[in-house]
Amino acid sequence: MLDDLRNIVIKEVREMMRDPRILLGMILVPLLMFPLMGLGMSAATTSIKESTEYISVGYVNLDAGNTSISLLVFVSQNKTIALTNITDIGTSIDKIITQPNCTQYKVIMIIPADFSYNISTGNSSNIELYASLSNFGISEGLPSTQVSSLINTFSQIVLYQTLNAACPGKNASAMLNPVIAHEQSIVKGHVVNYSPMSIANTMMMQSVMSPFVIMIVIIMAAQLVAMSVAMEKENKTLETLLTLPVSRMSILAGKLSGGIVVAGIACITYMIGFSYYMDTLSGFGSNSASSIPLADIGIKMTALGQVMLGITLFLSIIAAMAIAVLLAAFTEDVRSAQSLAGIIYIPVFIPAFILMFAPVESLSTGVQAIIYAIPFSYPVLAVKALYTADYALVTLGIIYQLVFSLVMVYLAARFINTEKILTAKITFKKKTEVKEL
Amino acid sequence: MAAVVVKDLAKKYKNVAALNGISFNVDPGEIFGLIGPNGAGKTTTLRIISTLLKPTSGTAIVSGLNVLEKPEEVRKIISYLPEEAGAYKNLSGREYIAFMAHFHTKNPQELKNLISSGVQLAGLGERIDSYIKEYSKGMKRRLLIARALMTSPKLAILDEPTSGLDINHAHYVRNIIQEYAKKGTTVLLSSHNMLEVEHICDRVALINRGEVIEMDAPKILMNKYNAKNLEDVFMEVTKNAR
């Protein structure tokens, strides 16, 4: 039995890994696509970074006071800013934009005539910033934002100076923020020095990424097994296989095991490509600053939790593959099998997407019942549950999944044991009358 | 003991009757041909004997084993070659032979000998190591025949073994079938090429519309109907049946 199983698994892996549809579509394309996407993003990121590394600012200073001079000195101290006085080409924006050489400045800054006076008298004063847009990309928007940010910082400095001058001996910062709320969290009976939202955001990252990976693994495994069964039919090898001195259960187990092996390889290449892509993205608007090392606050998955997650994922894969075998048995070729196996997407994607954004407890009773009834929900549920050591839910889920998977495998084995594996197909023809051949 | 005993075999697909109670026996070492036009019921009969289909009624017994009751035992002593059989396109011919041989023996030396015998039987030379997707139809059929006969099965069930092959490949396949029958393998084959069957079959059963309409050695049938060949016999018999 084991020899036969090994023989079938080796054949399955060879067949699938050498099939251009699988090799290209499920292994090479994800391996290349994500790094290429990453390179594209990297190029975009570099372009955006470069746009803020040298910002040419043309300014018109209509103010005669000292504050505007201080502002210009403050802005010019920033290494990325190159200030140029453009008063000679015009003193109003309407005039300036008619000059051809104004386009060399990424930002045009106009300081109004009463700037210093307004500030010294306790009034606010507007500085006009103009950025010329041509392709409407982020790289065109960032220089103006950076200059604006510098002006805001200058504004804060002025505010503190004013307060210090008005109230000598007082803490300006304390006067501006007399009441401060210090958010902390209680996790598993311990106070941790992180706000609830920052912990929730970090957990959100986990609950978004994990379902994504889980969905890919389950769908890939199901698609591969559906393709494998359909290839037997399409290549007219199934009849021969079914008349060999090997049990039908070995054939089914061999197909499922072969599917797991190739899906595992496909998933690894997928994740290599994807992690490269995510690494590239992390250099652009990273969230890493807000992410919290969960282990530091006592939220971590134990070795037992990891094993349980593995079991629940494995059972999901087995159930999905057994369903895929049953579906593929009704088709005549690979393309039809892939289409029909797409039915599995529904119970895999829907709970994963719902659980990405909403904890199961927050859902209505009806939706919860549906989520719990779908066996593919459990790996997603298990990720969060195991972080919080809620083993009871995962254990019950594993028991349910085990029963479901066994039933599906039993049905697939029963199906393979009948002639329906050869004769079953989905047709929409009208019934024909009895006739003799 | 007869190699194959088929008695009152009937098969219906939903509302369509494919077999209407056919009966015949095949003796050990015999080459027995089922001949008849397309849709006569030849393939259905072979599929039932090969344990792929279950009959609606009747029995099929191979070397004393009822195909319905002991299908796994039957599969150990038969070898079935379907009419439009394919092979795993992404394996080489040698890998295919090895894959099939693994199911017949676990002994390493026997396995090696079996693979060697299969490779030799296929007669594909160096091309045995090419991927099967690169084979011509004739090469593929030779490989499949080699797969079916390399184990010297008690019963080889060959559905249209030379269908669609050119004269060289067809000649090669026919020679191998006759060679293995001489070694003791019983061969049950189907064909709608009656002239070919006439040359290699010891006995034939003429099937039409799911019924055996005549059965005997080709020469006896030709004498009986005063016909030049089996094709004429078939036309004569079906004319009387109409």
Side-chain angles (χ1 to χ4, degrees), chain A residues 4 7 18 239 419, chain B residues 11 47 54 90 95 106:
Chain A
D4 290 341
N7 192 28
R18 290 173 185 171
E239 285 187 39
E419 64 184 46
Chain B
K11 177 71 179 172
R47 282 175 147 200
K54 289 193 167 106
N90 297 309
E95 286 172 341
K106 310 300 174 205

Side-chain angles (χ1 to χ4, degrees), chain A residues 393-437:
Chain A
L393 170 74
V394 185
T395 307
L396 285 173
I398 286 174
I399 293 167
Y400 173 62
Q401 281 187 302
L402 185 66
V403 172
F404 186 88
S405 303
L406 285 175
V407 170
M408 285 300 123
V409 170
Y410 173 76
L411 288 176
R414 278 289 300 266
F415 198 81
I416 281 187
N417 242 334
T418 68
E419 64 184 46
K420 286 193 178 72
I421 187 73
L422 292 173
T423 57
K425 57 182 160 185
I426 295 174
T427 54
F428 300 97
K429 289 178 188 169
K430 287 180 182 174
K431 284 188 175 177
T432 51
E433 294 299 314
V434 176
K435 62 177 180 182
E436 298 286 313
L437 278 182

Side-chain angles (χ1 to χ4, degrees), chain B residues 127-138:
Chain B
R127 295 297 305 279
I128 195 73
D129 290 312
S130 301
Y131 285 151
I132 293 169
K133 62 186 168 191
E134 295 164 9
Y135 287 6
S136 68
K137 186 175 180 181

Side-chain angles (χ1 to χ4, degrees), chain A residues 1 3-8 10-12 14-16 18-21 231-232 234-248 417-419 422-423 427 431-437, chain B residues 11-18 20 39 47 50-55 72 75-76 78 80 82 84-92 95-96 98-100 102-104 106 131 133 147 208-210:
Chain A
M1 168 92 179
D3 274 345
D4 290 341
L5 180 64
R6 195 175 67 103
N7 192 28
I8 296 171
I10 291 171
K11 189 275 290 181
E12 288 292 319
R14 275 183 177 154
E15 264 277 285
M16 286 193 263
R18 290 173 185 171
D19 190 297
R21 290 170 293 194
M231 277 161 73
E232 297 274 6
E234 190 175 271
N235 298 335
K236 312 282 182 196
T237 51
L238 186 61
E239 285 187 39
T240 305
L241 187 64
L242 295 177
T243 56
L244 293 173
V246 55
S247 73
R248 302 280 169 96
N417 242 334
T418 68
E419 64 184 46
L422 292 173
T423 57
T427 54
K431 284 188 175 177
T432 51
E433 294 299 314
V434 176
K435 62 177 180 182
E436 298 286 313
L437 278 182
Chain B
K11 177 71 179 172
K12 280 189 176 179
Y13 293 108
K14 291 184 182 172
N15 301 326
V16 181
N20 283 321
R47 282 175 147 200
S50 306
T51 74
L52 285 172
L53 299 182
K54 289 193 167 106
E72 292 192 357
R75 282 179 211 134
K76 287 178 185 168
I78 65 162
Y80 175 54
E84 291 179 346
Y88 300 107
K89 292 190 289 187
N90 297 309
L91 299 187
S92 70
E95 286 172 341
Y96 177 75
F99 170 65
M100 293 295 177
H102 265 101
F103 294 116
H104 294 277
K106 310 300 174 205
Y131 285 151
K133 62 186 168 191
R147 190 281 303 167
N208 194 34
R209 297 181 181 183

Side-chain angles (χ1 to χ4, degrees), chain B residues 16 19 43 50 55 58 64 97 115 129 135 140 148 162 185 200 228 239:
Chain B
V16 181
L19 291 180
T43 297
S50 306
I97 292 284
I115 295 170
D129 290 312
Y135 287 6
K140 206 182 294 175
T162 60
T185 293
I200 63 167
K228 284 182 288 185
K239 185 176 77 181

